[in-house]
Amino acid sequence: MMTASPLLSLPGAVAGDGADAPVAAHYGSFNLEQRTLASGEGFVDLSHRDVLRIAGPDRLTWLHSLTSQAFEGLAPGVWTSSLILSPQGHVEHFFSGVDDGSSFLAWTEPGAGEALVAYLERMKFWSDVTVTLDPSQVSVWRVSTSSTTGGGYSFVPRESLETYAAAAGPACGFWAFEALRIERGEPRFGVDTDARTIPNEVGWVPGSEETVGPEYAVHLDKGCYRGQETVARVHTLGRPPRRLVLLHLDGSENRLPAAGSELVFGEKTVGFVGSSARHHELGPIALGLVKRNVPVDAQLVVDGMPVAQEVLVDPEIGLHIRPLR
């Protein structure tokens, strides 16, 4: 069971829902909190996310052999994201973190850590590594443009979270964070993805070495790993089966679609909605995954509401065409 954040005791704190219940959805005004974050101030408590630690002298070469990312030679302090794929190239696990010279510390989505650790344990063989969940560390987020800081993510000791909050404040809620993440077109594993998702569909593949950064989870010039053939083929030939889109919802109804709701074009289901939020400038928005051949200007319907698309992943080349930040 996930531990409730001590920051829920801050004035105005309202707990989130579902997997995000252990942290504050907002502290009184999610619109004001979005504006605070957009201005470069404040921070977000992400202490409900699972944190794992990978230690041992073989950790980087071992991770390099297992994942979609290049870990060999990774310098301490440089943030990177990575995927574990099925043999068919479907995304099975996502994690993002940083090496400190002796261990690699990473976050993954709430509830996803145990399965990730179990998989990594099965793949150790003779490698000198240890893999554990590390509840003593928690994830937080602040606005950053540096490629070495994970796009704003960092870790603090759980016991120091309240001290960190007092220095880094004001505290902003998870709803504000989600609205800005959706605006950036940054997918959330397990919400904006499903069991059939390949990295090329959701913008995790960089266009070139010049665009490598913590928002990308695939390295195009590394050696073989499970699922690489699918990623390379779609990158070379283009035309991914589906594409991530930013959806602008009809603001006349005071509701947001549930994650997993069907996206309909005409009489056909052509995809699903993942994350959704109320943005302080754009209004109600969401991320969706739709079939590649759906016209980019087609109006779709979700839960009886009309939605307009904004292209995030090019349907022909399968690359994110908007800056993530």
Side-chain angles (χ1 to χ4, degrees), residues 189-251:
F189 172 68
V191 179
D192 302 309
T193 68
D194 60 12
R196 297 187 295 114
T197 299
I198 64 173
N200 317 67
E201 295 177 325
V202 293
W204 275 330
V205 179
S208 67
E209 287 301 303
E210 288 70 35
T211 54
V212 170
E215 62 269 35
Y216 299 107
V218 173
H219 195 288
L220 293 172
D221 292 334
K222 61 163 287 183
C224 184
Y225 58 91
R226 192 173 75 168
Q228 182 190 26
E229 183 179 351
T230 297
V231 174
R233 182 175 66 250
V234 176
H235 180 70
T236 301
L237 301 178
R239 301 168 70 85
R242 299 178 297 177
R243 56 187 177 84
L244 188 72
V245 294
L246 178 64
L247 300 171
H248 296 268
L249 285 71
D250 182 355

Side-chain angles (χ1 to χ4, degrees), residues 1-9 13-25 27 45-50 110-111 158 161 174 188:
M1 184 175 179
M2 290 182 288
T3 303
S5 171
L7 302 190
L8 284 173
S9 64
V14 175
D17 300 316
D20 304 320
V23 297
Y27 296 91
D45 174 16
L46 301 174
S47 60
H48 62 317
R49 289 181 167 174
D50 290 346
R158 185 177 294 273
L161 182 57
F174 192 73
R188 182 178 181 184

Side-chain angles (χ1 to χ4, degrees), residues 60-61 63-64 67 69-74 80-82 95 104:
L60 295 181
T61 54
L63 287 170
H64 187 92
T67 75
Q69 190 56 268
F71 281 92
E72 287 185 339
L74 181 68
T80 191
S81 300
S82 191
F95 59 96
F104 186 81

Side-chain angles (χ1 to χ4, degrees), residues 29-75:
S29 173
F30 62 88
N31 276 328
L32 178 60
E33 291 159 27
Q34 283 183 57
R35 295 180 186 279
T36 298
L37 293 176
S39 71
E41 303 295 326
F43 79 99
V44 181
D45 174 16
L46 301 174
S47 60
H48 62 317
R49 289 181 167 174
D50 290 346
V51 175
L52 62 150
R53 184 180 296 274
I54 303 169
D58 296 341
R59 67 191 181 283
L60 295 181
T61 54
W62 178 68
L63 287 170
H64 187 92
S65 69
L66 289 177
T67 75
S68 62
Q69 190 56 268
F71 281 92
E72 287 185 339
L74 181 68

Side-chain angles (χ1 to χ4, degrees), residues 91-128:
V91 179
E92 293 186 340
H93 300 282
F94 169 93
F95 59 96
S96 186
V98 65
D99 197 79
D100 64 4
S102 62
S103 62
F104 186 81
L105 195 64
W107 66 263
T108 189
E109 289 293 337
E114 186 173 341
L116 175 55
V117 168
Y119 173 81
L120 293 173
E121 280 287 336
R122 293 196 302 271
M123 302 304 293
K124 283 169 58 173
F125 301 112
W126 298 279
S127 298
D128 189 357

